[in-house]
Amino acid sequence: MTENHPVKPQAGHTNLDPHLDRYARRTAGMTASEIRALFAVASRPEVVSLAGGMPNLAALPLNSIATQVSEIITEEGLVALQYGSAHGIPTLRDQICEIMALEGISAHPDDIVVTVGSQMGLDMVTRIFCDPGDVVIAEGPSYVGALGSFTAYQAKVIHVAMDEHGLVPETLREALAQAKKNKLRVKFLYTIPNFHNPAGVTLAVERRAEILEICREYGILVVEDNPYGLLGFNGQVYPALRSTDPDNVVYLGSFSKTFASGLRVGWVLAPHAVREKLVLAAESATLCPPTLNQIIVSRYLSTHDWQGQIKNFQENYRERRDAILNALDNYMPPGCSWTKPDGGFYVWMTVPEGVDTKAMLPRAVTARVAYASGTGFYADGFGSRQLRLSYCYPTPERITEGVRRLASVLEAEMDLVRTFGSVSPRSISGPESPSPDTA
């Protein structure tokens, strides 16, 4: 298989898909998600799932929200259940501007496009900017859903390194210089600056201006994905990249982590000219985002103490973060290391040399614990020694038990490596696509 051509059946082999020759060439890069396949197993009650990024919605005022949804249908049903604008309802766009102001962003509601989750926004941005063969720069590791979108539009991903302070500016400059030397068309930098998925690190404030300046120097756009920005554990809200450079940053936001993921309401804030292209892309993709869902979110924001609710989420996730860090300290064998997030949902863990976290995963599930192996978060086959642990959903007690089980599996795997040696990492044909369990 080449980058742009699907696999053809070999002579003498029966083709089970009669439509194989009809698919577009870009479908060759679409691969199944191991995390999506894992979800059915990980959701069994006996399995402690540290794999999925599902927000914990138990703290929401569900009875009040249910009453409001009923009132919306009764009072505004003829509007809420009707087609709407691809732009999104004006009231919600006004409220989104107020939310982004907490991160230093000054925005006009007309430059916001409401989307069906921020994943749709990411897909649209990639669609309007990337031709086949174009390059996207992304942190390594990076969000699996983003990698899936880039691959779907046949863009090449070049990863740049991070450390405990986020993306390293020097590695970004080196990657852009090398791409320019090789005459590659780099379209944008995709970055998750706050409480990174999957790495759990936050881009240092002092690095942000430098990264923006490097992108300006090389003439590339910045796509800032920030679903976790208000979920910090130390009371600090970091300044958005968009707040410093509004003309060269496209900002992606979401209510999935701060309200309700199932409503699938997100947004894109873009420079005015880009906004026009995004509206056209939204019309062709969905015609319009669901009006009812937007009104539910808008009513919640106008009638509830949503900032107080976010503080409840912060406390909830901080307790779980503390539980997983304590359990890792207590149970993990020597040679393991992990990030220490100050917000968000995830810990990124590195295991000893010779252990392949993808190969180990079935044995972990047999031991009734699940995680996300690291290879899905790279476009180039790396990550076999890494894994992502999500602490947002299980209780602290379940988290502790899950880490204990995982440590036992890892110790057994290390014994096998010492006895028989390590297995060469598999070849990866492409990134894994997103699923509800990787949001």
Side-chain angles (χ1 to χ4, degrees):
M1 181 182 72
T2 66
E3 182 179 358
N4 295 322
H5 293 80
V7 174
K8 299 293 184 181
Q10 298 178 1
H13 287 73
T14 301
N15 178 14
L16 299 180
D17 183 355
H19 304 286
L20 184 63
D21 291 336
R22 301 181 178 127
Y23 294 130
R25 290 178 177 177
R26 61 181 171 271
T27 62
M30 295 181 178
T31 55
S33 169
E34 68 176 66
I35 304 175
R36 182 179 60 199
L38 173 65
F39 185 61
V41 176
S43 61
R44 298 199 313 245
E46 70 272 18
V47 176
V48 178
S49 178
L50 303 174
M54 296 183 298
N56 194 316
L57 303 182
L60 283 174
L62 295 179
N63 290 336
S64 175
I65 293 171
T67 299
Q68 287 192 340
V69 172
S70 177
E71 292 173 352
I72 289 169
I73 298 297
T74 302
E75 300 167 6
E76 303 181 59
L78 294 180
V79 174
L81 301 179
Q82 186 56 275
Y83 288 124
S85 165
H87 212 154
I89 63 174
T91 303
L92 181 58
R93 287 189 277 119
D94 287 335
Q95 292 167 316
I96 288 171
C97 287
E98 296 173 7
I99 293 171
M100 292 189 297
L102 298 175
E103 299 172 321
I105 296 175
S106 176
H108 193 283
D110 286 350
D111 289 331
I112 293 169
V113 180
V114 178
T115 57
V116 184
S118 62
Q119 180 68 33
M120 175 185 169
L122 179 58
D123 188 87
M124 292 193 309
V125 169
T126 310
R127 173 147 59 108
I128 68 174
F129 280 105
C130 290
D131 290 314
D134 284 346
V135 170
V136 173
I137 303 290
E139 293 133 339
S142 189
Y143 167 51
V144 63
L147 299 180
S149 286
F150 304 152
T151 299
Y153 291 104
Q154 297 174 284
K156 178 182 178 181
V157 177
I158 295 177
H159 288 296
V160 290
M162 291 187 290
D163 60 18
E164 67 271 22
H165 303 297
L167 191 156
V168 180
E170 292 78 8
T171 65
L172 173 62
R173 186 181 294 278
E174 291 168 3
L176 290 173
Q178 187 63 43
K180 183 177 181 180
K181 179 180 178 182
N182 294 335
K183 299 182 179 180
L184 299 174
R185 284 166 49 91
V186 180
K187 288 300 181 70
F188 57 80
L189 165 68
Y190 170 74
T191 179
I192 307 172
N194 301 319
F195 322 128
H196 189 275
N197 176 10
V201 299
T202 295
L203 180 62
V205 173
E206 58 269 19
R207 290 184 178 182
R208 299 185 180 216
E210 183 178 0
I211 286 170
L212 290 170
E213 178 58 33
I214 292 171
C215 291
R216 278 280 189 182
E217 177 184 341
Y218 281 89
I220 69 166
L221 187 71
V222 177
V223 177
E224 177 181 16
D225 196 356
N226 191 33
Y228 309 97
L230 298 181
L231 294 177
F233 301 149
N234 58 12
Q236 181 176 2
V237 177
Y238 293 94
L241 299 174
R242 167 77 190 203
S243 69
T244 302
D245 194 354
D247 294 331
N248 199 48
V249 177
V250 173
Y251 178 98
L252 304 176
S254 176
F255 290 104
S256 291
K257 309 303 186 293
T258 57
F259 180 33
S261 55
L263 291 176
R264 308 305 301 133
V265 178
W267 71 90
V268 183
L269 171 65
H272 191 76
V274 177
R275 188 283 314 269
E276 290 298 314
K277 293 287 193 298
L278 289 172
V279 171
L280 294 174
E283 288 176 341
S284 69
T286 63
L287 187 62
C288 61
T291 305
L292 173 61
N293 294 16
Q294 294 178 74
I295 294 177
I296 291 172
V297 174
S298 180
R299 182 76 68 93
Y300 168 79
L301 294 172
S302 63
T303 60
H304 287 80
D305 179 14
W306 60 268
Q307 294 192 56
Q309 183 63 55
I310 287 176
K311 290 181 180 178
N312 290 339
F313 283 135
Q314 291 170 344
E315 294 169 2
N316 184 295
Y317 297 135
R318 183 192 300 114
E319 180 184 22
R320 285 159 168 76
R321 186 278 312 267
D322 291 345
I324 199 166
L325 292 181
N326 289 334
L328 290 168
D329 282 335
N330 291 334
Y331 292 113
M332 281 298 155
C336 298
S337 61
W338 50 86
T339 56
K340 297 175 174 59
D342 63 347
F345 286 6
Y346 307 109
V347 168
W348 184 247
M349 180 174 166
T350 300
V351 300
E353 189 75 43
V355 176
D356 185 332
T357 60
K358 170 112 176 143
M360 186 177 72
L361 184 55
R363 290 183 278 279
V365 172
T366 300
R368 296 172 300 155
V369 62
Y371 59 84
S373 58
T375 52
F377 301 97
Y378 287 88
D380 51 15
F382 285 91
S384 62
R385 285 184 56 204
Q386 280 77 43
L387 55 88
R388 189 191 73 178
L389 299 174
S390 174
Y391 53 79
C392 50
Y393 190 76
T395 64
E397 295 76 19
R398 292 275 287 174
I399 289 170
T400 300
E401 175 59 19
V403 171
R404 187 194 66 79
R405 295 176 187 177
L406 178 59
S408 296
V409 173
L410 182 55
E411 287 173 343
E413 199 77 5
M414 292 167 63
D415 285 341
L416 287 174
V417 170
R418 283 189 290 266
T419 302
F420 299 106
S422 61
V423 177
S424 298
R426 327 172 268 108
S427 173
I428 307 296
S429 60
E432 293 155 321
S433 52
S435 76
D437 201 34
T438 60

